[in-house]
Amino acid sequence: MTGRARARARGRPPGQEAAIPSVGAASVQQTLPGQPLSRQQPQQSHVPPSVSEELGGRGRQRVPQGVPQSQDVKKPEGLQISAGFQELSLADRGGRRRDFHDLGVNTRQAIEHVQESKTGSSGLAIKLTTNYFRLTSRPQWALYQYHVGYSPEMEARRLRSALLFQHEELIGKTHAFDGSILFLPKKLGNKVTQVFSRTRNGEDVKITITLTNELPPNSPTCLQFYNIIFRRILKMLSLQQIGRNYYNPNDPISIPNHRLMVWPGFTSSILQYEESIMLCTDVSHKVLRSETALDFMYSLYYQVEQQKFRDVCAKELIGVIVLTKYNNRTYRVDDIDWDANPQCTFRKADGSEISYVDYYKRQYNQEITDLNQPVLISQSRKKRGNLMPGPVVLIPELCFLTGLTEKMRNDFNMMKDLAIHTRLPPEQRQREIGRLIDYIHKDDNVQKELRNWGLSFDSNLLSFSGRVVQGEKILQSGNVFDYNPQFGDWSKESRGAPLICAKPLDNWLLIYTRRNYDAANTLLQNLFKVTPSMGIKMNKATMIEVDDRTEAYLRVLQQSITRDTNIVVCILSSSRKDKYDAIKKYLCTDCPIPSQCVLARTLSKPQSCMAIATKIALQMNCKMGGELWSVEIPLKQVMVVGIDCYHDTIAGKQSIAGFVASMNHTMTRWFSRCAVQSRGQELVDGLKACLQTALRDWYKWNKYLPSRIIVYRDGVGDGQLNTLVNYEVPQFLDCLKSVGKDYNPRLTVIVVKKRVNTRFFAQCGGGGLKNPPPGTVVDVEVTRPEWYDFFIVSQAVRNGCVSPTHYNVIYDTGKLKPDHLQRLTYKLCHMYYNWSGVIRVPAPCQYAHKLAFLVGQSIHREPNLLLSDRLYYL
Amino acid sequence: MDKNFQEEQFTGIIKFTPPLYKQRYQFIKDLVGKYKPKKVADLGCADCTLLQMLKFCSSIEVLAGLDICTSVMKENMHRLSPLPGDYLQPAERPLTVTLHQGSVAHKDPCMLGFDLVTCIELIEHLEQSELMKFPEVVFGFMAPRIVVISTPNFEFNALLPNKALFRHPDHKFEWNQAQFQSWALETARRYDYSVEFTGVGHPPTGMENVGFCTQIGVFVRKYPQTCESAQSEKPTEAVYKMVFRAVYPSLKDEKYLKNAVVSEVIFTAQNIKRSLLDRLMAEHEEYNNDPVERKFQFQPSMNRFSEDLGKLVVEKSMEPFVHGNVVYIPLTTIFSFPKVNRLCGTFEKLCKLIAGKVTLSSDGSAVMFNTELENEEN
């Protein structure tokens, strides 16, 4: 189904949600069902987002719940601190305390053959610039870390700060303090300094400031610290924080046709890279929607039948990130409570009972006009402010929707309108990135802050030289295609050439509705035209007309499929998911037959019919176990594995890992399995079983076991690297050990990451910038010293900036030279049969992705293993 | 108002619920609710907590803060910036928030023309010399309609656990009720204000004569609004330093109004179009008795049918209609929707605001949508 394939077949960025059991999940299950209005009992957990009487903005006072009470006892006057101090919380990093940069995971040290060098050598040099700026510090710069102790113990962070900064003459104006750790750019006279402060109650407090660390510029703590300072700077530039990034709300791009608003902004992170500490910053666009969750519910209400409304509503809203009107927080919608409404009450931290309407009126002067709306439930998994993990109640009227839903992503028009604004060509992108550094250099306050800390940023983007490796020859039944490596596409060159392995269409079904009889005929006629040159023998299909109902399709399938059926082709009249899902589910599990769905509309344009028939013929051939083309693979006895995950955001319950493994030397045949696991289960257990079966099948085909296994692992979230290294890799090794005593293959595990902020720009003649060509490899400067990693730009893009793929070799006993591993990786990017061109990731990753997506979206359980030797999931 | 505090032991600790500072802020909030001032200044705004509360009060269009210490203001000043939500759904009222660094002993024209000036726990921090100048600056120069001054009641200190003389080391003095009231009455008399005394933080039962923990004076100007000319007679140079300024998006600003109207018009039009097409589809289904599903795409074969229907309704200019592949939705229909109506006020304004931003029919009377375009890609 081409329309489906074109749609961004992708779940949410793989978070960690799936693997971690949610603490709050169980409790909401118990509290939710039907408790209208009388939810006043000790439901401490059901609270609106900011119960602490905290005012707008990002209230980041990190005080555990319960503490404010005791603090009030001590200080009846409240907290009016007049001592000047700049608040700094480690949470300024952007909300969650997860380490997104996988700092401290040092995998290179265990890989012997890359201790000296991890760089490749082949290819032609190319001048590149990238979106990195060097961070420089004064010579002999150090950051001084102090521990600050209070006697008697003071609990409130603000009080601790206020007391400490009564001694500004000692500490200086430049400091960062989170309540117990103090960072200073200068060294205090003594290692231990004691000072006295007086609280407003007249209590004398002894403060002991002890030097605990003298941090060199590249220490991990310093890196964290730079990021905190940088976020401070972005705030000073009046950028608004949403999620992890910062956006400029002053010049939004509005797209009224889709009620969308796009805010331009920046992603930023400061890390230790190969040679120096650098700021990596990229243009980011935040898509916001100028409608509230309530608006959305209303427009949905008018669109769907009443009895379906709640289901559809839940489907559309659950998983969506909302932004609250009254403060700047984002929440993920996990549930809708139809039995509750804004008039329900909750218990505030001080014990008093208040309704949501009154609360929002009093606290934020927000008028809730619709008193019958349901409420949204968000499970906060981490501690946020003084809110403990648990369900949070949100009022739809006060929540803006953000981001795009799956439905919107599938809306071609919308994506087209959006792309105009978000896909920036290289030069423009570079200009926008430069703008941030300009802001930084031109803002006096920012410069002062940086100067005080003894830090500064380079004003130029980092430039260095990368390599463009040789293009790959595409081999297909004795033909070698000559294609333009700049475009990375051989669809024209290979059209009509005989395939490596063509599967005959002896006995196949073509199912259509009455309305689509013409479309079915067109397809049939065109298939007859295009298949002979490919070497596909084709008989006329068994044509079956059905009613346009899901049950009708299923009945026909049950009645007409025989043991000899090669493939089933269904012409669908709309992209409605339920019909597609039902067909796929039946044909992938109960009745394992390859199937091809085609939207009637795709066949409606006479001028493109031939091209589409060609594509469909190729796809059908792959699904039946055929092979299209290959590239030269010099390595012998190697099995390449691809793994990707799909996280079901809508149901929020299960994750699917797609697993594919090459079965022959030319890597034209792939074994596949997938592991379906519910929340809380570890993914890796399923993967072990997958690897075992793959090896068994490999043996069946080759009569020996592979001496080398290379795993490309996609779908790893930021901050998950540690888990992978410490848990998943050992399990792979375990699994290999279990195969046989003398079986000791070489294993390489490579983490593949598509979503990186790194961009490369190639300089073209005349000072302009363009995208680097396919085959560009970067293994210097912007890579990390503690990793064996590299970037490859494998695909070509027509508009916007190409995004390189990051490869991180986390385990390697293969001893392949870095150059060979890079080349092999690039070769594999040519092997994805659904696209006659080079793709962003190695083919096994994309196959694994397609498989996981199909299972996660449509099938929801493991497909029949009889299909496992074919690319039925394309 | 016994619930306002708890006594643990009579001579022991008094705890106010909600905390006293919150009660003071609530007092101001209530006052704002009562008098609905447009311009409010908070002198000695410290970490801007009160300003953050006041920015949600819908009567206020100008909000200013003044403090002697920049760094304490900066600590939380970003919370005074507009939130994403303010941009996504601009409010009707305009709002500008500014913060200034300066002393209440100095006059600056930026503080002129205010309706309400609050000085919460401010005066006790002033040196004698500053306190002398304070009335002239606030009552004489700024001369707002209402001034609120709060300060600790020294008599209450005995009931507090605090062993120090004053409640805060920075307090230069703390007045008893008589001292505060005589100062206030004298000030009010001199500058032609009336003053009423109240407070927050009730004393324990039986000790009412101690008075409120925080004493408050509410001053109301007796003479009418100073006219512009009178103000211009007070030429003063700017001495305060502006540290922060945020202009909130508002529908009073043409840029935001335009966006809001265009967005609402297109949204409304699309809703009308969808329901029109759905209706046509349903009628068509009945007519055809074809068991197709309710929501299949608009098919070319239907156009002939809808064309007839289009001719039928074309006379009634209020009705949306389909002609060929184009759906026409008259602006008058869109204007009749309350949200659009409220935004624009007049039909002429609607036309002006959407000019060039929305595809209209040749005579400019209807919004046009091409149905075929959508069919292709949906």
Side-chain angles (χ1 to χ4, degrees), chain B residues 282-345:
Chain B
E283 285 167 19
H284 173 68
E285 264 169 46
E286 259 168 49
Y287 168 87
N288 238 2
N289 207 11
D290 190 12
V292 279
E293 282 172 52
R294 193 174 81 97
K295 284 229 156 185
F296 78 95
Q297 290 302 316
F298 192 60
Q299 288 295 305
S301 62
M302 288 228 349
N303 288 357
R304 243 170 297 127
F305 173 77
S306 48
E307 240 173 276
D308 296 339
L309 192 113
K311 273 178 204 139
L312 271 175
V313 291
V314 79
E315 281 87 17
K316 293 190 277 172
S317 68
M318 278 288 279
E319 289 292 319
F321 62 95
V322 183
H323 185 82
N325 286 323
V326 183
V327 181
Y328 293 87
I329 298 139
L331 279 179
T332 44
T333 314
I334 294 171
F335 185 64
S336 68
F337 276 72
K339 246 183 166 170
V340 180
N341 199 295
R342 204 165 345 110
L343 278 173
C344 309

Side-chain angles (χ1 to χ4, degrees), chain A residues 56 77-78 84 158 200-201 235 240 250 257 259 263 303 325-326 328 362 364-365 548 576 601, chain B residues 21 29 47 56 71 78-79 82-84 87 89 162 167-168 264 267 270 274 293 375-376 378:
Chain A
E77 280 287 86
R158 288 188 57 168
R200 237 180 275 181
N201 297 342
K235 240 186 235 173
Q240 288 261 0
N250 285 315
N257 286 11
R259 295 205 122 184
W263 285 8
Q303 283 173 52
K325 218 175 198 176
Y326 40 86
N328 189 10
R362 269 195 49 195
Y364 300 106
N365 215 45
D548 198 4
R576 283 186 56 146
R601 189 163 20 88
Chain B
Y21 77 101
K29 247 178 109 176
D47 65 356
F56 290 110
S71 59
H78 293 285
R79 291 202 197 161
L83 296 168
Y87 288 96
Q89 230 173 50
N162 196 342
R167 296 184 196 176
H168 189 275
E264 201 53 45
F267 179 71
Q270 262 173 347
R274 198 174 35 235
E293 282 172 52
N375 258 351
E376 259 174 44
N378 257 350

Side-chain angles (χ1 to χ4, degrees), chain B residues 170-187:
Chain B
D170 188 52
H171 286 182
K172 308 297 184 298
F173 60 86
E174 279 175 11
W175 282 336
N176 61 26
Q177 296 175 77
Q179 284 169 312
F180 176 57
Q181 289 180 10
S182 78
W183 177 85
L185 287 167
E186 167 56 21
T187 306

Side-chain angles (χ1 to χ4, degrees), chain B residues 15 20 23 33 38 52 69 89 101 121-122 202 205 219 250 287 326 341 363 375:
Chain B
K15 179 190 160 195
L20 204 54
Q23 292 192 31
K38 277 191 174 177
Q52 283 162 41
C69 174
Q89 230 173 50
Q101 188 275 325
E121 309 294 271
L122 166 75
H202 286 262
T205 329
F219 301 74
S250 145
Y287 168 87
V326 183
N341 199 295
D363 62 350
N375 258 351

Side-chain angles (χ1 to χ4, degrees), chain A residues 70-133:
Chain A
S70 58
Q71 163 196 337
D72 285 346
V73 175
K74 281 182 196 155
K75 295 184 53 57
E77 280 287 86
L79 296 163
Q80 274 191 306
I81 292 157
S82 49
F85 70 96
Q86 279 174 301
E87 173 181 286
L88 176 128
S89 146
L90 288 171
D92 274 354
R93 272 182 289 159
R96 291 168 242 178
R97 286 179 185 232
R98 198 199 300 167
D99 174 19
F100 293 109
H101 305 299
D102 295 306
L103 288 170
V105 186
N106 190 339
T107 43
R108 187 179 173 186
Q109 64 187 8
I111 307 172
E112 259 169 61
H113 67 286
V114 289
Q115 292 306 304
E116 289 284 295
S117 157
K118 64 175 188 189
T119 54
S121 52
S122 60
L124 298 168
I126 180 171
K127 275 244 55 56
L128 298 174
T129 53
T130 179
N131 53 336
Y132 287 66
F133 296 91

